[in-house]
Amino acid sequence: MITGAGRGIGRAIALKLAAHGADIAAVDLKTEFMQETVAEVCKLGRKAWAFAANVSEAASVEAAAEQILKEAGRVDILVNNAGITKDGLLMRMSEADWDAVWTSTSRERSLTKAFSRSLLKQKSGRIINIASVIGLIGNAGQCNYAASKAGVIV
Ligand SMILES: NC(=O)c1ccc[n+]([C@@H]2O[C@H](COP(=O)([O-])OP(=O)(O)OC[C@H]3O[C@@H](n4cnc5c(N)ncnc54)[C@H](O)[C@@H]3O)[C@@H](O)[C@H]2O)c1
């Protein structure tokens, strides 16, 4: 299962895992964002599902996790990839831009929590959180992003 699988790194991870034999539960804000990912996974001969969820909202994450386990049966690899940037210097950064970036990353915890019971029952599984080098070195105009990714690393 991969969040933010509609494009970019998430889609690339989905296709790479599918090429290695994994079925893919793609998660993104809207199902239409994942049409291409699902079609490409199917071309590789694997099953693919598209689940719409907002990883920044705990209730949305919990509902998606329940649906994924019902339809896919189990999750062996959870890739917390979805993330956003809202860059700006701290002195001009709105609370909303701080919160949006912070929440989208820190809510990975909710998704991991939602699958923790089934992963423990299976006694197997992998959780991969996509961080960023910016979480280690910081970057001008990205204090919200750097802080949230540092949290992922720690
Ligand atoms: N692109 C880079 O250079 C780079 C470098 C280091 C780390 N990263 C990290 O890699 C990850 C993916 O980056 P990318 O460049 O592919 O991003 P992207 O913006 O191209 O794609 C992100 C995907 O996540 C989805 N998404 C965004 N917010 C969401 C939410 N709340 N709920 C569900 N889905 C949501 C978007 O719709 C989109 O499909 C991010 O966590 C990013 O911080 C990216």
Side-chain angles (χ1 to χ4, degrees):
M1 183 205 140
I2 302 123
T3 66
R7 67 176 191 212
I9 294 170
R11 180 190 290 170
I13 293 170
L15 297 183
K16 183 61 86 177
L17 288 176
H20 283 276
D23 294 330
I24 302 296
V27 173
D28 212 300
L29 288 167
K30 293 186 177 167
T31 45
E32 54 262 39
F33 292 176
M34 292 170 278
Q35 276 170 0
E36 214 174 307
T37 305
V38 166
E40 287 183 37
V41 168
C42 292
K43 269 194 228 156
L44 292 167
R46 304 309 315 175
K47 281 190 204 155
W49 299 264
F51 297 95
N54 183 344
V55 300
S56 297
E57 292 173 5
S60 175
V61 161
E62 280 158 28
E66 203 180 311
Q67 208 188 347
I68 289 165
L69 287 174
K70 204 165 144 196
E71 293 190 31
R74 60 185 277 154
V75 164
D76 295 295
I77 307 169
L78 166 59
V79 186
N80 285 312
N81 164 77
I84 56 166
T85 51
K86 298 244 179 226
D87 298 350
L89 294 176
L90 178 61
M91 69 179 104
R92 287 199 289 262
M93 184 174 287
S94 68
E95 292 300 310
D97 283 356
W98 174 277
D99 289 347
V101 172
W102 183 261
T103 309
S104 73
T105 304
S106 62
R107 279 274 179 234
E108 286 175 356
R109 176 189 52 81
S110 304
L111 198 59
T112 303
K113 183 182 168 197
F115 284 102
S116 56
R117 194 177 295 275
S118 65
L119 288 169
L120 280 169
K121 261 194 190 164
Q122 287 168 205
K123 294 193 192 315
S124 71
R126 296 288 183 272
I127 300 166
I128 301 165
N129 296 320
I130 303 297
S132 168
V133 69
I134 300 305
L136 292 172
I137 62 174
N139 200 19
Q142 289 198 306
C143 60
N144 49 357
Y145 184 73
S148 71
K149 291 298 188 183
V152 173
I153 293 164
V154 173

